[in-house]
């Protein structure tokens, strides 16, 4: 834009406004923390697991259990009071914990791929799968783990 007049204070103001608008447009905050609040997605995942019929658990990147449904509660023999906001590795089923450890580690390395394994229980066998969910920076933020009984 060409300016046909010379008002140094006005030109400086216009320059500052353009700089701010460019930073907002490009997402650059000039080295400062973003003004956009980080959304807590725990409630969304709690609602999501209640819609799934098979056992499902959601784990945050810090290994904290965010949510799980009633079928998972029965399978893991844990209550919400003893597991929510606790490290999933405190579960008593060591085979389940080891499988989840492996799947979460693989999901961190390949966050765009679903990781799958098998886990035997006393009465049946399950496919156990893990999918990473990423934050706005592209880093794994949550892991959704499902267990689906193998028919047969």
């Amino acid at each position: 834009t060409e300016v046909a007049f010379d008002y140094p204070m006005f030109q400086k103001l216009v320059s500052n406004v353009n700089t701010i608008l460019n930073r907002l447009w490009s997402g650059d905050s000039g080295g400062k923390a973003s003004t956009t609040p980080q959304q807590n997605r725990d409630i969304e995942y709690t609602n999501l697991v209640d819609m799934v019929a098979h056992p499902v658990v959601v784990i945050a990147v810090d290994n904290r259990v965010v949510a799980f449904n009633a079928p998972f509660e029965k399978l893991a023999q844990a209550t919400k009071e003893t597991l929510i906001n606790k490290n999933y590795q405190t579960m008593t089923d060591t085979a389940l914990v080891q499988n989840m450890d492996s799947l979460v580690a693989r999901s961190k390395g390949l966050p765009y791929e679903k990781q799958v394994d098998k886990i035997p229980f006393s009465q049946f066998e399950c496919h156990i799968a893990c999918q990473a969910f990423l934050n706005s920076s592209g880093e794994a933020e949550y892991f959704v783990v499902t267990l689906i009984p193998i028919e047969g």
Side-chain angles (χ1 to χ4, degrees), residues 104-115 130-132 134:
V104 167
R106 289 175 12 210
S107 290
K108 286 179 181 176
L110 299 167
Y112 295 101
E113 295 180 20
K114 177 177 70 172
Q115 304 300 319
C130 180
Q131 176 64 56
L134 310 180

Side-chain angles (χ1 to χ4, degrees), residues 60-137:
V61 72
D62 60 0
N63 293 339
R64 175 179 52 89
V65 174
V66 173
F68 58 89
N69 61 4
F72 184 85
E73 186 172 358
K74 183 178 177 184
L75 183 73
Q77 300 175 352
T79 64
K80 293 192 185 223
E81 293 78 26
T82 61
L83 202 52
I84 294 292
N85 289 320
K86 306 282 188 317
N87 189 312
Y88 75 89
Q89 295 164 331
T90 62
M91 291 188 305
T92 56
D93 188 333
T94 55
L96 180 58
V97 170
Q98 289 173 351
N99 269 282
M100 290 171 63
D101 281 342
S102 172
L103 292 172
V104 167
R106 289 175 12 210
S107 290
K108 286 179 181 176
L110 299 167
Y112 295 101
E113 295 180 20
K114 177 177 70 172
Q115 304 300 319
V116 182
D117 208 342
K118 288 183 183 178
I119 182 170
F121 289 96
S122 60
Q123 304 295 325
F124 55 93
E125 190 174 43
C126 282
H127 285 289
I128 181 170
C130 180
Q131 176 64 56
F133 285 79
L134 310 180
N135 61 19
S136 59
S137 301

Side-chain angles (χ1 to χ4, degrees), residues 41-72:
R41 309 214 51 187
D42 292 5
I43 295 171
E44 294 174 7
Y45 284 108
T46 300
N47 293 337
L48 173 72
V49 300
D50 287 336
M51 295 187 304
V52 180
H54 295 292
V56 61
V57 60
V58 178
I59 303 165
V61 72
D62 60 0
N63 293 339
R64 175 179 52 89
V65 174
V66 173
F68 58 89
N69 61 4
F72 184 85

